[in-house]
Amino acid sequence: MTYATLAFGVTTLHDPSNDTDTVFAASELQRAGLITGPRIFSTGTILYGANAPFTATIDSLEDARSHLRRLKAAGAFSVKSYNQPRREQRQQVLEAARQTDMMVVPEGGSLFD
């Protein structure tokens, strides 16, 4: 698939939701020339606000900064804020992104205003 992607002229990907370990390992392998494919950028694992095994609990600006620092250290330049139920949580992610020089791909639930 990566050869086909390159054959169609796609040289860079931005994956807005993937497993942190898997996607950044692939990104490093591509940069090192150990796998052939487009450059890979990703948010890593989403900052999921709903109840799940990988829920990102955000109850303060420091919580948000901690999640963003962790993802940035893994290789992310952006994060996906997904289904954070309260407006203040979404705002804390955005402010933490400003402070850590990252971008946010926000997405809310279908019942959120």
Side-chain angles (χ1 to χ4, degrees):
M1 183 173 89
T2 58
Y3 287 109
T5 302
L6 289 171
F8 281 108
V10 177
T11 60
T12 306
L13 302 173
H14 179 251
D15 186 334
S17 177
N18 206 322
D19 176 72
T20 297
D21 296 334
T22 303
V23 75
F24 293 124
S27 179
E28 289 179 26
L29 289 169
Q30 185 279 330
R31 278 196 314 269
L34 299 173
I35 61 173
T36 301
R39 293 179 298 165
I40 303 168
F41 298 95
S42 179
T43 63
T45 303
I46 60 176
L47 299 178
Y48 196 49
N51 192 13
F54 54 93
T55 299
T57 302
I58 298 173
D59 289 320
S60 67
L61 179 57
E62 185 51 42
D63 287 345
R65 273 194 301 254
S66 176
H67 287 297
L68 270 69
R69 283 189 212 115
R70 173 180 49 82
L71 288 166
K72 190 171 189 172
F77 75 94
S78 61
V79 296
K80 182 168 185 176
S81 176
Y82 183 64
N83 275 345
Q84 291 297 330
R86 297 188 320 269
R87 182 172 189 252
E88 76 220 33
Q89 290 167 306
R90 295 187 296 277
Q91 290 173 324
Q92 289 163 350
V93 171
L94 292 168
E95 180 57 30
R98 284 183 199 98
Q99 293 178 9
T100 56
D101 197 29
M102 296 181 77
M103 293 190 291
V104 179
V105 180
E107 185 175 342
S110 61
L111 299 177
F112 292 162
D113 293 331

